[in-house]
Amino acid sequence: MTTDPAARVRELLDQYDTPTASAAELLCDRHPADDVAFTVVESDLSSTDLTYGYLREQSSRFAAALADLGVEPGDHVATLMGKSAELVVALLGIWRRGAVHVPLFTAFAPPAIAFRLGASGAKVVVSDANQVEKLAPGEDIPADASWQVVVVGGGSGALDFATLVDSHDATDAKGAAVTVGGAGPLVQLFTSGTTGTPKGVPVPLRALASFHAYQEFGLDVRKDDVFWNAADPGWAYGLYYALLGPLAAGTRSILLHAGFSAPLTWQVMERFGVTNFAAAPTVYRSLRADPTPIPETVSLRRASSAGEPLTPDVISWAEANLNVFVRDHYGQTEHGMFIANAWADGLQDEVREGSMGKPLPGWACAVLADDSDAVAPPRTPGRVAIDTHSPLMWFTGYVDAPEKTAQRFTADGRWYLTGDAGQTDEDGFYFFSARDDDVIIMAGYRIGPFDVESVLVMHDHVVEAAVVGMPDELRGEVLEAFVVLRDGVDGSGELEVELQTLVKKKFAAHAYPRAVHFVPSLPKTPSGKVQRYLLRQK
């Protein structure tokens, strides 16, 4: 493997963007059969190692079963499953068959599930037993649904996952790896819907080059690392970088088959010697807020964050308590990660407070002016964009949505518009401000919610905060804050004044929230992004 980033990008594209590319070969079969792909950890800390040889055999059986269920290459198969051995087998079976995976987040309610199944035209849904009731006919799920349901772990489903796998032979020709090529579809997931109806995002096989590159450049996952990406595979960061990226790179990862809790997270890190950790900012904030002592033997070499901008309080806490910086990384469902405070040797740079870093190798980005498609000068707020000539760029448009696709690209096709506002500094570091829809214009001032939120969470009593703009007759908009407090702390008028004063002192006198609402939780997408439009509706 070359150490030159540009040459490495070309190597990866030569692997994944070819007419003969096969997902099963690239993600499983080419790796040594005895190598461990995943260590699946249960809530009691018992664990099971999944080797590539085991995954090849089991996924071949499931691919043959899918063929018998009428699934053809190009058909869509959904999963409504938590992180488990069965999930990995199911995904590799889907891709081995040449089918397209549709991830469903287990926290989804029936309306969200029905929307995605209908929009994707899924033929089969593989569901955990404790999720299958969401697929029962009712107000949202039709009685004559076109999809078949396969149940993992028992239940009332007519099709049992283990029975299907056991009843097929790994050498069955129907389970042979299908070649789809670099442009062939691998996944169809949906945007997280921070500002409206989710849009279908087709992920081609060649996107694996980008996912593999991020594992190396952004996360610096090495062969001797114990890597744990705690994100859920029902959304992009978890699917791309807790499953696809590690499988592509052939590196061992942790999969926790249990719900999140701070004490359990520390126990997993300690028991399995995690050295490289990635998670959403919400996870780090929860670890910071939890009184559980950090085990002395926890020793992280790398720590990374994605999903929402990383507030400075998390960075300082991690440096003081974990002896490692948490580096902020930025990306989207449509691309994966493309701007980051990279960890890899030769790419590491200083961590500047509030910065999401610089474009990763294989990506070229810019901040465009608000009123034109010209590149904005440093320190000038504008629109974060990706150069469509970037070698690792793989997104070309949403499924059956030409108008929404057109809105994402400049008229000349040169730039993809992320929908995020930000700016650069003189050294090329990028700074996130807000979603375009979330920028607050107050008396002519542009205010990014993130700047105010970063100050609010400095207060010892505050766990999370979200800031929105509300209509105001005099100023156009004014700021209001929604704040989640630590357990045992009650909101009060005195605390509201404290928070307003803190913003005046630490950020700007004009940008303090005119009202502070103390709430038990913030509405979020599956990826952990705060849905500010829902707060505005309140």
Side-chain angles (χ1 to χ4, degrees):
M1 183 180 72
T2 180
T3 56
D4 174 62
R8 180 58 178 154
V9 168
R10 290 192 296 271
E11 282 182 356
L12 293 171
L13 288 169
D14 287 343
Q15 289 180 37
Y16 297 104
D17 193 11
T18 69
T20 59
S22 161
E25 170 64 26
L26 292 165
L27 296 173
C28 180
D29 300 355
R30 66 171 173 159
H31 301 310
D34 292 335
D35 280 8
V36 175
F38 296 101
T39 296
V40 181
V41 180
E42 305 296 333
S43 59
D44 62 359
L45 298 183
S46 62
S47 64
T48 303
D49 286 340
L50 307 180
T51 66
Y52 284 103
Y54 171 84
L55 291 174
R56 178 172 188 168
E57 177 186 358
Q58 295 295 297
S59 64
S60 296
R61 292 172 182 268
F62 187 58
L66 288 174
D68 284 345
L69 293 177
V71 174
E72 299 292 338
D75 285 342
H76 290 65
V77 178
T79 58
L80 182 58
M81 304 171 68
K83 291 168 277 190
S84 63
E86 290 85 359
L87 174 64
V88 181
V89 170
L91 295 186
L92 286 172
I94 292 167
W95 295 323
R96 188 175 296 279
R97 182 61 186 149
V100 183
H101 173 228
V102 180
L104 300 173
F105 184 44
T106 53
F108 281 153
I113 292 169
F115 171 82
R116 286 159 175 78
L117 292 177
S120 65
K123 273 193 172 182
V124 172
V125 185
V126 187
S127 172
D128 285 341
N130 62 3
Q131 296 285 323
V132 74
E133 66 180 41
K134 296 179 181 178
L135 299 169
E139 183 178 343
D140 303 294
I141 304 294
D144 58 347
S146 58
W147 53 81
Q148 301 177 76
V149 178
V150 175
V151 181
V152 177
S156 58
L159 298 171
D160 177 71
F161 181 83
T163 301
L164 284 176
V165 171
D166 292 342
S167 63
H168 289 79
D169 194 283
T171 60
D172 191 324
K174 295 191 294 290
V178 173
T179 295
V180 300
L186 188 71
V187 174
Q188 181 178 325
L189 37 60
F190 292 82
T191 59
S192 51
T194 54
T195 57
T197 302
K199 302 176 286 291
V201 177
V203 182
L205 189 150
R206 61 187 174 87
L208 292 175
S210 172
F211 304 160
H212 191 155
Y214 173 67
Q215 295 289 123
E216 295 181 7
F217 298 142
L219 298 172
D220 189 34
V221 180
R222 303 180 184 179
K223 279 287 187 181
D224 58 352
D225 266 328
V226 178
F227 175 61
W228 183 18
N229 180 345
D232 193 282
W235 65 281
Y237 193 72
L239 178 62
Y240 296 170
Y241 305 116
L243 291 174
L244 282 167
L247 285 170
T251 52
R252 171 176 171 250
S253 295
I254 299 289
L255 280 183
L256 178 61
H257 187 212
F260 170 80
S261 76
L264 180 57
T265 299
W266 294 128
Q267 289 170 1
V268 172
M269 286 192 186
E270 180 181 34
R271 173 71 63 88
F272 295 93
V274 175
T275 59
N276 195 322
F277 185 64
T282 301
V283 169
Y284 288 104
R285 293 190 193 109
S286 297
L287 293 173
R288 173 176 172 264
D290 188 81
T292 303
I294 302 173
E296 293 183 1
T297 55
V298 169
S299 180
L300 293 177
R301 190 179 66 84
R302 302 287 187 249
S304 306
S305 174
E308 273 274 279
L310 192 62
T311 44
D313 61 300
V314 173
I315 298 174
S316 58
W317 166 80
E319 184 184 12
N321 293 276
L322 300 178
N323 297 317
V324 66
F325 274 101
V326 179
R327 288 181 170 250
D328 198 10
H329 298 172
Y330 169 78
Q332 294 189 317
T333 300
E334 293 91 337
H335 308 282
M337 312 307 287
F338 52 92
I339 295 176
N341 289 289
W343 272 116
D345 292 341
L347 296 177
Q348 271 194 52
D349 214 323
E350 63 179 306
V351 175
R352 299 192 178 183
E353 185 172 306
S355 174
M356 53 196 185
K358 294 181 177 180
L360 290 166
W363 297 95
C365 302
V367 172
L368 305 184
D370 284 330
D371 56 358
S372 75
D373 293 337
V375 176
R379 306 286 179 184
T380 304
R383 300 167 295 158
V384 179
I386 302 172
D387 189 334
T388 56
H389 297 116
S390 298
L392 291 178
M393 175 86 171
W394 52 263
F395 177 76
T396 57
Y398 300 110
V399 177
D400 300 326
E403 291 184 5
K404 292 180 179 178
T405 296
Q407 294 170 3
R408 281 299 191 200
F409 292 88
T410 55
D412 61 1
R414 168 68 188 278
W415 300 100
Y416 169 89
L417 305 173
T418 63
D420 288 332
Q423 58 184 293
T424 60
D425 66 11
E426 292 78 6
D427 298 319
F429 286 86
Y430 282 69
F431 295 80
F432 176 88
S433 174
R435 294 288 304 171
D436 276 349
D437 294 335
D438 291 332
V439 172
I440 302 163
I441 310 295
M442 187 180 74
Y445 292 101
R446 289 172 54 96
I447 302 170
F450 174 63
D451 295 317
V452 182
E453 293 161 1
S454 294
V455 174
L456 291 172
V457 297
M458 290 179 181
H459 197 286
D460 288 341
H461 292 339
V462 175
V463 176
E464 290 188 295
V467 171
V468 301
M470 301 299 287
D472 180 80
E473 186 174 341
L474 177 63
R475 301 176 183 85
E477 284 185 298
V478 294
L479 281 73
E480 294 192 13
F482 294 79
V483 171
V484 179
L485 298 175
R486 290 180 183 273
D487 290 341
V489 177
D490 295 323
S492 65
E494 290 78 11
L495 182 54
E496 179 179 27
V497 173
E498 281 186 35
L499 294 173
Q500 291 169 329
T501 303
L502 186 65
V503 173
K504 292 176 184 178
K505 290 182 176 179
K506 296 291 187 180
F507 178 53
H510 71 286
Y512 73 93
R514 265 52 179 187
V516 177
H517 308 280
F518 299 107
V519 295
S521 62
L522 300 176
K524 296 178 181 178
T525 69
S527 61
K529 295 183 177 68
V530 175
Q531 293 174 304
R532 293 180 181 83
Y533 76 98
L534 292 179
L535 295 174
R536 287 193 291 268
Q537 291 173 7
K538 291 186 177 182

